[in-house]
Coordinates of all heavy atoms in Angstrom, one line a residue:
F1 N 114.2 91.7 90.7 CA 114.6 90.4 90.0 C 113.8 89.3 90.5 O 113.2 88.5 89.6 CB 116.1 90.1 90.2 CG 116.5 88.8 89.6 CD1 116.9 88.8 88.2 CD2 116.6 87.7 90.3 CE1 117.2 87.6 87.7 CE2 117.0 86.5 89.8 CZ 117.3 86.4 88.4
E2 N 113.7 89.1 91.8 CA 112.9 88.0 92.3 C 111.4 88.1 92.0 O 110.8 87.1 91.6 CB 113.0 87.9 93.9 CG 114.5 87.6 94.4 CD 114.8 86.2 94.3 OE1 113.9 85.4 93.9 OE2 115.9 85.8 94.6
I3 N 110.9 89.3 92.1 CA 109.5 89.5 91.8 C 109.2 89.2 90.3 O 108.2 88.6 90.0 CB 109.1 91.0 92.1 CG1 109.0 91.0 93.7 CG2 107.7 91.3 91.5 CD1 108.8 92.5 94.2
K4 N 110.0 89.7 89.4 CA 109.9 89.4 88.0 C 109.9 87.9 87.7 O 109.2 87.4 86.9 CB 110.9 90.1 87.1 CG 110.7 91.6 87.0 CD 111.7 92.2 86.1 CE 111.4 93.7 85.8 NZ 112.4 94.3 84.9
Q5 N 110.8 87.2 88.4 CA 110.9 85.8 88.2 C 109.7 85.0 88.6 O 109.2 84.1 88.0 CB 112.1 85.2 89.0 CG 112.5 83.8 88.7 CD 112.9 83.5 87.3 OE1 113.8 84.1 86.8 NE2 112.2 82.6 86.6
M6 N 109.1 85.5 89.8 CA 107.9 84.9 90.3 C 106.7 85.2 89.3 O 105.8 84.3 89.0 CB 107.5 85.3 91.6 CG 108.5 84.8 92.7 SD 107.9 85.1 94.4 CE 106.5 84.0 94.5
L7 N 106.6 86.4 88.8 CA 105.6 86.8 87.8 C 105.7 85.8 86.6 O 104.7 85.4 86.1 CB 105.7 88.2 87.4 CG 105.3 89.3 88.5 CD1 105.8 90.7 88.0 CD2 103.9 89.2 88.8
S8 N 106.9 85.6 86.2 CA 107.1 84.7 85.0 C 106.7 83.3 85.3 O 106.0 82.7 84.5 CB 108.6 84.7 84.6 OG 108.9 83.8 83.6
N9 N 107.0 82.8 86.5 CA 106.6 81.5 86.9 C 105.1 81.3 87.0 O 104.5 80.3 86.7 CB 107.2 81.1 88.3 CG 108.7 80.9 88.1 OD1 109.2 80.7 87.1 ND2 109.4 81.0 89.3
F10 N 104.4 82.4 87.4 CA 103.0 82.4 87.5 C 102.2 82.7 86.2 O 101.0 82.6 86.1 CB 102.5 83.4 88.6 CG 102.8 82.9 90.0 CD1 103.2 83.9 90.9 CD2 102.6 81.6 90.4 CE1 103.4 83.5 92.2 CE2 102.9 81.3 91.7 CZ 103.3 82.2 92.6
K11 N 103.1 83.2 85.2 CA 102.5 83.6 83.9 C 101.5 84.7 84.1 O 100.4 84.7 83.5 CB 101.9 82.4 83.2 CG 102.9 81.4 82.8 CD 102.3 80.2 82.0 CE 103.3 79.2 81.7 NZ 102.7 78.0 80.9
I12 N 101.9 85.7 84.9 CA 101.1 86.9 85.1 C 101.9 88.2 84.9 O 103.1 88.1 84.9 CB 100.4 86.9 86.5 CG1 101.5 86.9 87.6 CG2 99.5 85.7 86.7 CD1 100.9 87.0 89.0
N13 N 101.2 89.3 84.9 CA 101.9 90.6 84.6 C 102.2 91.4 85.9 O 103.1 92.2 85.9 CB 101.1 91.5 83.6 CG 101.0 90.8 82.3 OD1 102.0 90.2 81.8 ND2 99.9 90.9 81.7
S14 N 101.4 91.2 86.9 CA 101.5 92.0 88.1 C 100.9 91.2 89.4 O 100.1 90.3 89.2 CB 100.9 93.3 88.0 OG 99.4 93.2 87.9
F15 N 101.4 91.6 90.5 CA 100.8 91.1 91.7 C 99.7 92.0 92.3 O 99.8 93.2 92.1 CB 101.9 90.9 92.8 CG 102.8 89.8 92.6 CD1 104.2 89.9 92.3 CD2 102.3 88.5 92.7 CE1 105.0 88.9 92.1 CE2 103.1 87.4 92.4 CZ 104.5 87.6 92.1
Y16 N 98.8 91.5 93.0 CA 97.7 92.3 93.6 C 98.3 93.2 94.6 O 98.0 94.4 94.7 CB 96.6 91.4 94.2 CG 95.6 92.2 94.9 CD1 94.6 92.9 94.3 CD2 95.6 92.2 96.4 CE1 93.7 93.6 94.9 CE2 94.6 92.9 97.1 CZ 93.7 93.6 96.4 OH 92.7 94.3 97.0
A17 N 99.3 92.6 95.4 CA 99.9 93.4 96.5 C 101.2 92.8 96.9 O 101.5 91.6 96.7 CB 99.0 93.5 97.7
V18 N 102.1 93.6 97.4 CA 103.4 93.2 98.0 C 103.3 93.6 99.5 O 103.0 94.7 99.8 CB 104.6 93.8 97.3 CG1 104.6 95.3 97.3 CG2 105.9 93.2 97.9
L19 N 103.7 92.7 100.4 CA 103.7 92.9 101.8 C 105.2 92.9 102.3 O 105.9 91.9 102.0 CB 102.9 92.0 102.6 CG 101.4 91.8 102.2 CD1 100.7 90.9 103.1 CD2 100.7 93.2 102.1
L20 N 105.5 93.8 103.2 CA 106.8 93.7 103.9 C 106.7 92.7 104.9 O 105.8 92.7 105.8 CB 107.1 95.1 104.5 CG 108.4 95.2 105.3 CD1 109.6 94.9 104.5 CD2 108.5 96.5 106.0
H21 N 107.7 91.7 104.9 CA 107.7 90.6 105.8 C 108.8 90.8 106.8 O 109.8 91.5 106.5 CB 107.9 89.3 105.1 CG 107.4 88.1 105.8 ND1 107.9 86.8 105.5 CD2 106.6 88.0 106.9 CE1 107.3 86.0 106.4 NE2 106.6 86.6 107.2
D22 N 108.7 90.2 108.0 CA 109.8 90.3 109.0 C 110.2 91.7 109.2 O 111.3 92.2 109.0 CB 111.0 89.5 108.5 CG 112.1 89.4 109.5 OD1 111.7 89.5 110.7 OD2 113.2 89.1 109.2
S23 N 109.3 92.5 109.8 CA 109.5 93.9 110.0 C 109.9 94.3 111.5 O 109.8 95.4 111.9 CB 108.2 94.7 109.7 OG 107.1 94.3 110.5
K24 N 110.4 93.3 112.2 CA 110.9 93.5 113.5 C 112.2 94.3 113.5 O 113.0 94.0 112.7 CB 111.0 92.2 114.3 CG 109.7 91.4 114.5 CD 110.0 90.1 115.3 CE 108.8 89.3 115.4 NZ 109.0 88.0 116.1
K25 N 112.3 95.2 114.5 CA 113.6 96.0 114.7 C 114.2 96.6 113.4 O 115.4 96.7 113.2 CB 114.6 95.0 115.3 CG 114.2 94.4 116.6 CD 115.3 93.5 117.1 CE 114.9 92.9 118.5 NZ 115.9 91.9 119.0
L26 N 113.2 97.2 112.6 CA 113.7 97.9 111.5 C 114.0 99.3 111.8 O 113.5 99.9 112.8 CB 112.6 97.9 110.4 CG 112.3 96.5 109.7 CD1 111.3 96.7 108.6 CD2 113.5 95.8 109.3
K27 N 114.9 100.0 111.1 CA 115.3 101.4 111.3 C 114.6 102.2 110.2 O 114.1 101.7 109.2 CB 116.8 101.5 111.2 CG 117.6 100.7 112.3 CD 119.1 100.9 112.1 CE 119.8 100.1 113.2 NZ 121.3 100.2 113.0
K28 N 114.7 103.5 110.4 CA 114.0 104.4 109.5 C 114.4 104.2 108.0 O 113.6 104.1 107.1 CB 114.4 105.9 109.9 CG 113.8 106.9 109.0 CD 114.2 108.3 109.4 CE 113.7 109.4 108.4 NZ 114.1 110.8 108.9
D29 N 115.7 104.0 107.8 CA 116.2 103.8 106.5 C 115.6 102.5 105.8 O 115.4 102.4 104.6 CB 117.7 103.7 106.5 CG 118.4 105.0 106.7 OD1 117.7 106.0 106.6 OD2 119.6 105.0 107.0
D30 N 115.3 101.5 106.6 CA 114.7 100.3 106.1 C 113.3 100.5 105.6 O 113.0 100.1 104.5 CB 114.7 99.2 107.2 CG 116.0 98.8 107.7 OD1 116.9 98.6 106.8 OD2 116.2 98.6 108.9
Y31 N 112.5 101.2 106.4 CA 111.2 101.6 106.0 C 111.2 102.4 104.7 O 110.5 102.2 103.7 CB 110.4 102.4 107.0 CG 110.2 101.6 108.3 CD1 110.8 102.0 109.5 CD2 109.4 100.5 108.4 CE1 110.6 101.3 110.7 CE2 109.3 99.8 109.5 CZ 109.8 100.2 110.7 OH 109.6 99.5 111.9

């Protein structure tokens, strides 16, 4: 939902890349 909203705000169809942010202390299920 958030990504589609940002794409709409930028008036584009897709992002070049998405990066996982704040990856400290993640568990297997998170990855």
Side-chain angles (χ1 to χ4, degrees):
F1 175 82
E2 294 283 355
I3 287 170
K4 284 185 173 180
Q5 188 63 57
M6 290 190 74
L7 289 170
S8 175
N9 289 342
F10 289 141
K11 297 183 180 179
I12 60 177
N13 296 319
S14 66
F15 286 113
Y16 175 75
V18 61
L19 304 185
L20 176 64
H21 200 202
D22 189 21
S23 59
K24 297 177 182 178
K25 299 179 180 179
L26 295 187
K27 298 178 180 179
K28 178 181 177 179
D29 288 347
D30 295 320
Y31 297 117

